[in-house]
Amino acid sequence: MTDIGRPEYPDEQYQIWLTEMAPFLKIGNSLYFAIEKALLIKHKSAIYEKYRLKDWFSEKIDAFQRYPGEVVNSIFYRLILSIDEKVKIGQPVTDEEWRNLRFFAEKHRSCQPFFVSRQEVAQVEPDDISQLLDDLERENDKTDYSHLAEQVKRELDNQQANPNQSA
């Protein structure tokens, strides 16, 4: 026997530990908390080592920890379907149903491509603004700052809309 240290635990032992930790994992607790509450703290290192292997054991732990989110997702799905049925038959939708629908549209990942508004903000260099002001002032003999501000705004909007064109 040249093996040093304790022998590996069989998968059956990990399954037993998983069963003991499952109630705590299913309510979304951390792995450490589940180990502690299942009174498996003396096996913590072995459990963490097995978890780091990313095999069936870690997949089951991750699935248990996702359980609350999947329940909530299922509930929201059923709520959305009931609202859809009401709309299809022409019944009015309540304010609370609209709030649920709006929340789902804003938060659920399946709705993101349809309802998330993206705004890009272009950064304008101070030198560009200075050059625009100088050019516009040269064009005007008198300095009408309100008129000048409108022209600068139009120029900046044009530059942001067409970044490849130079002034």
Side-chain angles (χ1 to χ4, degrees), residues 106-140:
E106 290 172 358
K107 303 295 183 187
H108 198 272
R109 69 178 173 263
S110 67
C111 297
Q112 300 263 326
F114 302 103
F115 297 106
V116 172
S117 63
R118 294 184 176 94
Q119 294 180 351
E120 294 182 21
V121 178
Q123 296 295 323
V124 179
E125 296 295 322
D127 292 339
D128 293 341
I129 295 172
S130 174
Q131 183 182 359
L132 280 172
L133 287 172
D134 291 343
D135 291 346
L136 291 171
E137 271 190 2
R138 266 188 247 118
E139 290 176 13
N140 297 334

Side-chain angles (χ1 to χ4, degrees), residues 27-99:
I27 57 175
N29 292 131
S30 68
L31 179 55
Y32 180 81
F33 186 85
I35 290 169
E36 195 175 57
K37 291 299 179 182
L39 305 175
L40 299 172
I41 205 73
K42 65 183 176 183
H43 303 293
K44 178 181 75 165
S45 295
I47 292 170
Y48 274 121
E49 286 172 19
K50 181 70 170 169
Y51 181 77
R52 278 189 223 105
L53 294 176
K54 298 294 181 198
D55 61 358
W56 68 270
F57 185 71
S58 62
E59 287 174 1
K60 290 269 193 180
I61 288 172
D62 294 343
F64 284 148
Q65 288 175 322
R66 284 191 306 268
Y67 185 74
E70 290 175 1
V71 169
V72 169
N73 187 57
S74 176
I75 291 168
F76 260 109
Y77 173 73
R78 288 192 302 268
L79 281 171
I80 299 307
L81 284 181
S82 70
I83 295 169
D84 182 47
E85 289 302 316
K86 284 179 80 169
V87 169
K88 283 179 182 176
I89 60 174
Q91 287 183 342
V93 178
T94 68
D95 287 343
E96 185 174 346
E97 288 169 331
W98 275 117
R99 280 192 299 274

